[in-house]
Amino acid sequence: MTDTVHTQNQAEEEERDNTVNIVIDGVAIKANEGELLIEAAERNGIFIPRFCYHPHMEPVGMCRMCLVEVSGPRGFALQPACYLKVQENMEVMASSDKAKRAQEGVLELLLINHPLDCPVCDKGGECPLQDQTMSYGPGESRFIEEKRHFDKPIELGPLTYLDRERCIQCARCTRFAAEVAGEPQIDFAGRGDMTMVATSPTRPFDSYFSGNTVQICPVGALTAKAYRFKSRPWDLEQAETTCTLCSVGCREVAQSSAGELVRYLGVDNLTLNQSWLCDKGRYSFEAVKNGRVLTPLARHEGVLEEVRWADALADITAGIRAGLAKGGGDQIAVLGGAKFTNEDNYMWARLAKGVFGSELVDAQLGDGFNAELALALPRAGIEETVNARTVVLIAGDLKEELPVLYLRLYQNLAKGKTKLIEISPTHTSLSDLAKIKLSPRPGELFSITEDIFDVTKNSVGSLKDESVISSIRQFLDVREETSADDGEGIVFVVGNANLAEAPIYLEESLKLIAAKLPKAKFLPALRRGNIFGALDMGLGPNLLPGRINKDRGDFFRRTWGTLPASPGIGTPEILAKCAAGEVSVLVLLGADPLSDFVDQALVQKAFENTPFIISLASHMDPSATSADVVLPVPYMGETAGTVTNLEGRVSVLGQKVTPPALARQPWLIAADIARLLEEDFGLYTLEEVSQEIADTVSLYRGVSLASLKRFGGDGVFVPVKAAKVKIASSTKSIFDPIAVPGIASVEEQGAPIKTGSAKPIALQDGNTKDSSAEALAKGDARLISLADVTSATRHAGGLDVIAEPKSDKYSLRLILQRDLYDAGSTLVNCPTLASLGGVQEILLAPSAASGFGLQNGSPVNVTGRGQMIEAQVKIDKSLSPGLAVLKVNKSKANDIFSADVSDGIASGRAELLVDASALVTDIRLETKHDKKKELG
Amino acid sequence: MRGKNNMLNEPIVTKRMGFEDSYTLERYLATGGYEGLRKALSMTREQVKEEVNKASLLGRGGAGFPAGRKWSMLRQAPTSYLVINGDESEPATFKDHLLVERDPHQLIEGTMIAAYALGVSQAFIFTRGEFALGIERLTAACNEAYEYNAVGKNIFGSDFSVDLVIHPGAGAYICGEETSLIESLEGNRGFPRIKPPFFPAVTGLYGEPTVVNNVETMSNLPWIVLNGGDAFAALGQGSSAGTRLFALSGRVNRPGWYELEMSKTTFRDLIYDKDLGGGIIGDKKIKAFIPGGVSAPWFFEEHLDMGLDQDAVAKAGSMLGSGSVVVMDETTCVVRASWRITRFFHRESCGQCTPCREGSGWLEKIMRRIEEGSGRPEDLDLLMDVCDSIAPGVTWPPQQTTICVLGPSIPSSIASAIRHLRDEFLEHIKLGHCPYEKDHILTGAAR
């Protein structure tokens, strides 16, 4: 592999036409017009000390550490480099006596009230205040007075402590909260040297993004509950990796101390997460230690017992042979894969489809939409999305489902860089920023989409306000005469906003939009970790590795030997087959349908009626507990391999800690089973699997672990269009605070230093087998297109069912959504996050609530499908009467660790009310007998 | 408040002060009130601006920037604002207090004239929150003015309309700094804005061009419009035209306000004239005086014969500032005086910039320690060095390491005292108490 065509410098030179000539410390420098002096200096290797400056936030000039002498009409004067923009012929003295005196003065002043408790401070050793004091500060303090005192530390929120004595009032955290997260929950109170960061008296700092303030705090004022006193920076080892808790796939470093995972820090890359993480991802490292499956388990006489791997695999092989003997591949179902790597998923796809011959394979668990459609839609990247002319959100609340995508979108919407049209059934975190907000009722989405695009239609279907439709048409440039360029610059962020509604409304809408706006792009908001990697590797109905439709699978039929004969079906139908006793073996690839599928009655029946259930699980979740064989697999931080995010960005997982001794990687388990079935794949190492993907999957051609490790940076986008690809981000950040002396720690993470334009590289070398090229040449490995999408099978009547079903007047129509802190295995196994789960709340319109005589907080019984659950009423003014909103995987009890945990979760589970085969779900309320009221 | 203006043939801003009911519309109208506005409305905007330019009216808020020039910098935009700064909060400064409390209609009339000249349709008067009576009277006057049609729609039948909002501050000295005042008016924490943009006239309230003028500046406008800019410029001398309202306090027999012709009167007149300050209490010797508010470097006996002239005072290394003159006699403890001033700045630093936030506290703690008898001789150099960290060189006009000028105002008193009265400082440290304090209770020096 070789670098080709450009050097980084040449590329930079070419792109820069608005250069400004400045001189810093006698060195002539070319800066970009409008660039901040501190950034221009840094790009040219001159470091100006700073605390409050942060590259992803507006400058405030508070700390005054970056004072340098700058030439002006009245000679040289001290100016802060962090908000001064470069100007032609500007002369700067960054290390003159006067500048040094000013910097030294600021540092001395910063330290007078600082407690200097470095030996017991989490930040000690990676502290910009410590580091810059060493480099720029006075040797000794002349301060003999009493320092300022505060109670310390105070709890700022459920995950964060604040030590106000250590705070240097740089406003990084307050700016993050207001500017980046859009949640100004913290601000300054008091004044002068008693200025402190504070929350409102009525609401703690409970933002989903609070951990970022800890990461960017330049001192140890903000500390994380989960990390406090866990380690010293010099004891940390680290590896760059990708978070796999949701499909955004934030780049981060996993840090361990004494072999134990203790911290995740966001990596600064310009096009993905820009160093930010959500709290769930950041603090999920705690789950590594809790609730793990440590050894293979097999059920003997009804009880799961520890067994040897060989015995477990022998049981499995026997079960699979029996199933195959009974009715071929259709007897074996494989669900899940979104928690696994691409290598794991490729091997399982090959095993399931190429060895078992099964099409009962789906990595989604009924909460997304048609996988073929999701892969066929023209894909947008995150950067393209947040900078689009118009973003149309047809999905749920991004802050709950894909938090860091929300963060990126919020900032650009707030700055007016893009416009938002929101078509989402409930009020989301972005609704207030939307130019147009439409709230379709369940079952109404397709008719709204038709209204928007059927320009000739005289009356607008279900919507009263025709002007809303016409203004959406204006935003989307929908006219009577269509052109092939329609949709240019528009990105649709699309996902299933209501789990109690059949996805067909969304699917048909998407097909219509894609047909009407040929240039529009889509960012599918499928939520699960590596769901896109799993689907790309073929773990979806009718799919083969590389986003290829099964009908075009000749290449894989030849190389794998066989392909399934039956048509593929999705998880709801697979589980229905299981429930009907038509499936012999159910393999769960890290999937936990017993707590993670919307129709719980169906799952329970499926588990009862499937004779042999195999669970590959990192944690002892409810499905593993009910399985017949449980195989321990690694968790985040313990896994090596590659993953693909929702943009199609392939990145490398860094394995930081060793998995439990007996855990085996899922790809290895697949290889073992294949070998035991006498279908040896001949792949014995992770690198070999990765290379096979790079060689045979056309979409991933050349994208292997080896090439990514060498050139990948923060990931490479697939499909790779040519032999040369653009690296997703060329920003490389230095993380080890000890490795780089001086101000190397958190600062380096923040600064987009020495970034150039993406550098074209060659991912292919002469030695690749490149059989995918051969396949491509024959045209049988073409990427799936909209025309290839198998029409939805669940509602064969097609468009006839696309009208909104009628409801009776006693019922409420249910909108079922997911929030970030659901009682899934992350929350259950992370002590710090556990209390954030919250109770099941039912959102009702004010009129609906008052109709039932209910107030905020009233307990209520919710019934449907012969089941009853309990919830607390929350009145939501934005909701229309006739609708109710519930959340999945919520417990009745507030503390999911309380004694009645299983009971609590069960009696609050909205999933009991939903029939996965129905188009929409209606529920009824039963008010609880209020004893207090009666007595009063 | 006691005061005087009879040194002048015709006082400009204090002519109604003799009346008990000076703040009522009735009295205002009986004494020629709103005639200036009527006249202004009969003129073109350019003509009004021209009169103000001719008057060479210097801003009375402290910086002394020519009002006409400030107006001419207003960026042309569909929306712009006029904000009147009445957040007078500095110790010993009470001229705007007087004007707000005793002649609110004059302030409103001036504001309307400025609004007309600038073509703005929304004006705000931001008053110090502690002006309880002033706010009551100003609000009442505003309501009366609306009813009288001097404010509001189609003023006096013209096609000029402007709305006026009276906004009481929430008790922060820093909100007298114009960008901080704008932040506060917008509902934010009163932090001064970073510069550039340097002038609110380019980017001000809600991001729109905004003129921020002082209460006294506005109160001069009715007279200027009625009598012409030339008549105003004929008073005073050079760039220091017209009259100014001085607030005299400290160790004088007759503290109070005095409206005086600029330049023509000297500090000696102000302090010693029997009709003005009336001399030092007990005929003691003068030790020092502050010529323009506690931000200003101190003056001493040798400056007494200097006129009350903006340029002359600036040339001598201080400023006429907010027009408050504080007199210290030979028995005044300079340590105590400068500690008290430093304590004020410490309490009022907004907390934004490190040098001011931390430096003010450090300086106050050292000063307090010296005052309380635990001073060390080396503290003098330390004090000067900390001052140097806030205002490099400790010069006047100051260089600064901070966003606004509150920071470099802090060293003024300490540096003046140490530079000119170093021996007294050292004596205080040696004795462990003030040399002039007769019945001191502290015994000896602590160190």
Side-chain angles (χ1 to χ4, degrees), chain A residues 2-22:
Chain A
T2 49
D3 289 30
T4 55
V5 189
H6 285 86
T7 67
Q8 191 169 320
N9 286 343
Q10 280 170 331
E12 272 176 22
E13 292 289 327
E14 277 171 23
E15 277 175 27
R16 204 186 293 156
D17 40 9
N18 296 325
T19 53
V20 174
N21 296 299
I22 62 170

mmCIF file of all heavy atoms in Angstrom, chain A residues 2-22:
data_model
loop_
_atom_site.group_PDB
_atom_site.id
_atom_site.type_symbol
_atom_site.label_atom_id
_atom_site.label_comp_id
_atom_site.label_asym_id
_atom_site.label_seq_id
_atom_site.Cartn_x
_atom_site.Cartn_y
_atom_site.Cartn_z
ATOM 1 N N THR A 2 0.483 2.233 -0.732
ATOM 2 C CA THR A 2 1.309 3.433 -0.822
ATOM 3 C C THR A 2 0.455 4.680 -0.740
ATOM 4 O O THR A 2 -0.702 4.677 -1.147
ATOM 5 C CB THR A 2 2.044 3.489 -2.169
ATOM 6 O OG1 THR A 2 1.074 3.239 -3.182
ATOM 7 C CG2 THR A 2 3.162 2.487 -2.256
ATOM 8 N N ASP A 3 1.045 5.709 -0.211
ATOM 9 C CA ASP A 3 0.390 7.016 -0.288
ATOM 10 C C ASP A 3 0.502 7.487 -1.719
ATOM 11 O O ASP A 3 1.553 7.335 -2.339
ATOM 12 C CB ASP A 3 1.112 8.025 0.610
ATOM 13 C CG ASP A 3 0.876 7.740 2.067
ATOM 14 O OD1 ASP A 3 0.688 6.548 2.404
ATOM 15 O OD2 ASP A 3 0.890 8.682 2.843
ATOM 16 N N THR A 4 -0.512 8.061 -2.222
ATOM 17 C CA THR A 4 -0.444 8.462 -3.617
ATOM 18 C C THR A 4 -0.881 9.894 -3.818
ATOM 19 O O THR A 4 -1.488 10.498 -2.957
ATOM 20 C CB THR A 4 -1.357 7.576 -4.491
ATOM 21 O OG1 THR A 4 -2.652 7.646 -3.927
ATOM 22 C CG2 THR A 4 -0.867 6.165 -4.535
ATOM 23 N N VAL A 5 -0.567 10.364 -4.986
ATOM 24 C CA VAL A 5 -1.047 11.627 -5.539
ATOM 25 C C VAL A 5 -0.619 12.884 -4.778
ATOM 26 O O VAL A 5 0.121 13.691 -5.285
ATOM 27 C CB VAL A 5 -2.593 11.652 -5.689
ATOM 28 C CG1 VAL A 5 -2.995 12.886 -6.463
ATOM 29 C CG2 VAL A 5 -3.056 10.407 -6.410
ATOM 30 N N HIS A 6 -1.094 13.021 -3.547
ATOM 31 C CA HIS A 6 -0.861 14.284 -2.861
ATOM 32 C C HIS A 6 -0.087 14.090 -1.581
ATOM 33 O O HIS A 6 -0.254 13.104 -0.896
ATOM 34 C CB HIS A 6 -2.200 14.905 -2.464
ATOM 35 C CG HIS A 6 -2.930 15.502 -3.607
ATOM 36 N ND1 HIS A 6 -3.748 14.758 -4.417
ATOM 37 C CD2 HIS A 6 -2.974 16.756 -4.067
ATOM 38 C CE1 HIS A 6 -4.269 15.545 -5.329
ATOM 39 N NE2 HIS A 6 -3.820 16.768 -5.135
ATOM 40 N N THR A 7 0.674 15.072 -1.251
ATOM 41 C CA THR A 7 1.109 15.161 0.128
ATOM 42 C C THR A 7 0.102 16.082 0.788
ATOM 43 O O THR A 7 -0.598 16.854 0.140
ATOM 44 C CB THR A 7 2.507 15.806 0.248
ATOM 45 O OG1 THR A 7 2.386 17.169 -0.146
ATOM 46 C CG2 THR A 7 3.512 15.084 -0.603
ATOM 47 N N GLN A 8 0.059 15.992 2.081
ATOM 48 C CA GLN A 8 -0.924 16.798 2.798
ATOM 49 C C GLN A 8 -0.706 18.291 2.559
ATOM 50 O O GLN A 8 -1.635 19.052 2.350
ATOM 51 C CB GLN A 8 -0.817 16.477 4.276
ATOM 52 C CG GLN A 8 -1.960 17.065 5.087
ATOM 53 C CD GLN A 8 -1.971 16.500 6.480
ATOM 54 O OE1 GLN A 8 -1.733 15.312 6.673
ATOM 55 N NE2 GLN A 8 -2.248 17.338 7.439
ATOM 56 N N ASN A 9 0.555 18.702 2.572
ATOM 57 C CA ASN A 9 0.846 20.122 2.402
ATOM 58 C C ASN A 9 0.384 20.658 1.067
ATOM 59 O O ASN A 9 -0.189 21.733 0.972
ATOM 60 C CB ASN A 9 2.342 20.378 2.566
ATOM 61 C CG ASN A 9 2.737 20.274 4.027
ATOM 62 O OD1 ASN A 9 1.874 20.336 4.898
ATOM 63 N ND2 ASN A 9 4.014 20.089 4.270
ATOM 64 N N GLN A 10 0.640 19.849 0.036
ATOM 65 C CA GLN A 10 0.213 20.294 -1.294
ATOM 66 C C GLN A 10 -1.293 20.486 -1.327
ATOM 67 O O GLN A 10 -1.788 21.475 -1.848
ATOM 68 C CB GLN A 10 0.620 19.265 -2.350
ATOM 69 C CG GLN A 10 2.076 19.382 -2.747
ATOM 70 C CD GLN A 10 2.500 18.212 -3.610
ATOM 71 O OE1 GLN A 10 1.969 17.120 -3.493
ATOM 72 N NE2 GLN A 10 3.466 18.453 -4.462
ATOM 73 N N ALA A 11 -1.985 19.529 -0.739
ATOM 74 C CA ALA A 11 -3.439 19.610 -0.741
ATOM 75 C C ALA A 11 -3.898 20.865 -0.026
ATOM 76 O O ALA A 11 -4.801 21.566 -0.478
ATOM 77 C CB ALA A 11 -4.021 18.373 -0.059
ATOM 78 N N GLU A 12 -3.224 21.162 1.073
ATOM 79 C CA GLU A 12 -3.602 22.353 1.827
ATOM 80 C C GLU A 12 -3.364 23.614 1.012
ATOM 81 O O GLU A 12 -4.227 24.484 0.936
ATOM 82 C CB GLU A 12 -2.775 22.443 3.105
ATOM 83 C CG GLU A 12 -3.414 21.702 4.254
ATOM 84 C CD GLU A 12 -2.529 21.731 5.482
ATOM 85 O OE1 GLU A 12 -1.682 22.628 5.579
ATOM 86 O OE2 GLU A 12 -2.686 20.843 6.326
ATOM 87 N N GLU A 13 -2.220 23.680 0.382
ATOM 88 C CA GLU A 13 -1.879 24.856 -0.406
ATOM 89 C C GLU A 13 -2.934 25.125 -1.458
ATOM 90 O O GLU A 13 -3.363 26.241 -1.682
ATOM 91 C CB GLU A 13 -0.518 24.665 -1.097
ATOM 92 C CG GLU A 13 0.665 24.631 -0.151
ATOM 93 C CD GLU A 13 0.960 25.983 0.452
ATOM 94 O OE1 GLU A 13 0.747 26.987 -0.229
ATOM 95 O OE2 GLU A 13 1.397 26.018 1.611
ATOM 96 N N GLU A 14 -3.347 24.038 -2.119
ATOM 97 C CA GLU A 14 -4.282 24.206 -3.220
ATOM 98 C C GLU A 14 -5.615 24.744 -2.756
ATOM 99 O O GLU A 14 -6.248 25.551 -3.423
ATOM 100 C CB GLU A 14 -4.499 22.854 -3.917
ATOM 101 C CG GLU A 14 -3.411 22.560 -4.918
ATOM 102 C CD GLU A 14 -3.511 21.137 -5.430
ATOM 103 O OE1 GLU A 14 -4.598 20.560 -5.357
ATOM 104 O OE2 GLU A 14 -2.479 20.623 -5.870
ATOM 105 N N GLU A 15 -6.050 24.247 -1.595
ATOM 106 C CA GLU A 15 -7.383 24.628 -1.151
ATOM 107 C C GLU A 15 -7.422 26.026 -0.565
ATOM 108 O O GLU A 15 -8.476 26.616 -0.414
ATOM 109 C CB GLU A 15 -7.888 23.631 -0.118
ATOM 110 C CG GLU A 15 -8.494 22.414 -0.787
ATOM 111 C CD GLU A 15 -8.886 21.362 0.211
ATOM 112 O OE1 GLU A 15 -9.162 21.739 1.358
ATOM 113 O OE2 GLU A 15 -8.892 20.193 -0.158
ATOM 114 N N ARG A 16 -6.274 26.555 -0.238
ATOM 115 C CA ARG A 16 -6.264 27.823 0.462
ATOM 116 C C ARG A 16 -6.041 28.977 -0.501
ATOM 117 O O ARG A 16 -4.962 29.157 -1.039
ATOM 118 C CB ARG A 16 -5.151 27.786 1.512
ATOM 119 C CG ARG A 16 -5.385 28.736 2.647
ATOM 120 C CD ARG A 16 -4.198 28.754 3.537
ATOM 121 N NE ARG A 16 -4.017 27.489 4.230
ATOM 122 C CZ ARG A 16 -2.838 27.104 4.696
ATOM 123 N NH1 ARG A 16 -1.766 27.819 4.488
ATOM 124 N NH2 ARG A 16 -2.740 25.977 5.344
ATOM 125 N N ASP A 17 -7.070 29.773 -0.737
ATOM 126 C CA ASP A 17 -6.813 30.942 -1.565
ATOM 127 C C ASP A 17 -6.938 32.223 -0.759
ATOM 128 O O ASP A 17 -6.426 33.240 -1.152
ATOM 129 C CB ASP A 17 -7.732 30.968 -2.794
ATOM 130 C CG ASP A 17 -9.136 30.522 -2.450
ATOM 131 O OD1 ASP A 17 -9.417 30.373 -1.236
ATOM 132 O OD2 ASP A 17 -9.936 30.338 -3.367
ATOM 133 N N ASN A 18 -7.617 32.183 0.382
ATOM 134 C CA ASN A 18 -7.749 33.391 1.190
ATOM 135 C C ASN A 18 -6.725 33.396 2.311
ATOM 136 O O ASN A 18 -7.057 33.316 3.471
ATOM 137 C CB ASN A 18 -9.154 33.478 1.793
ATOM 138 C CG ASN A 18 -10.198 33.626 0.714
ATOM 139 O OD1 ASN A 18 -9.943 34.269 -0.300
ATOM 140 N ND2 ASN A 18 -11.339 33.012 0.916
ATOM 141 N N THR A 19 -5.462 33.462 1.953
ATOM 142 C CA THR A 19 -4.455 33.430 3.002
ATOM 143 C C THR A 19 -4.119 34.834 3.465
ATOM 144 O O THR A 19 -4.260 35.812 2.729
ATOM 145 C CB THR A 19 -3.172 32.740 2.528
ATOM 146 O OG1 THR A 19 -2.780 33.367 1.327
ATOM 147 C CG2 THR A 19 -3.401 31.276 2.301
ATOM 148 N N VAL A 20 -3.718 34.903 4.708
ATOM 149 C CA VAL A 20 -3.341 36.165 5.325
ATOM 150 C C VAL A 20 -1.918 35.970 5.838
ATOM 151 O O VAL A 20 -1.610 34.941 6.427
ATOM 152 C CB VAL A 20 -4.300 36.470 6.504
ATOM 153 C CG1 VAL A 20 -3.834 37.706 7.251
ATOM 154 C CG2 VAL A 20 -5.719 36.649 6.010
ATOM 155 N N ASN A 21 -1.074 36.939 5.597
ATOM 156 C CA ASN A 21 0.309 36.823 6.049
ATOM 157 C C ASN A 21 0.466 37.467 7.415
ATOM 158 O O ASN A 21 0.140 38.643 7.594
ATOM 159 C CB ASN A 21 1.254 37.512 5.057
ATOM 160 C CG ASN A 21 1.216 36.822 3.712
ATOM 161 O OD1 ASN A 21 1.542 35.644 3.591
ATOM 162 N ND2 ASN A 21 0.760 37.546 2.692
ATOM 163 N N ILE A 22 0.924 36.692 8.351
ATOM 164 C CA ILE A 22 1.186 37.255 9.674
ATOM 165 C C ILE A 22 2.578 36.810 10.126
ATOM 166 O O ILE A 22 3.173 35.907 9.539
ATOM 167 C CB ILE A 22 0.132 36.828 10.725
ATOM 168 C CG1 ILE A 22 0.129 35.303 10.914
ATOM 169 C CG2 ILE A 22 -1.250 37.296 10.327
ATOM 170 C CD1 ILE A 22 -0.713 34.848 12.098
#
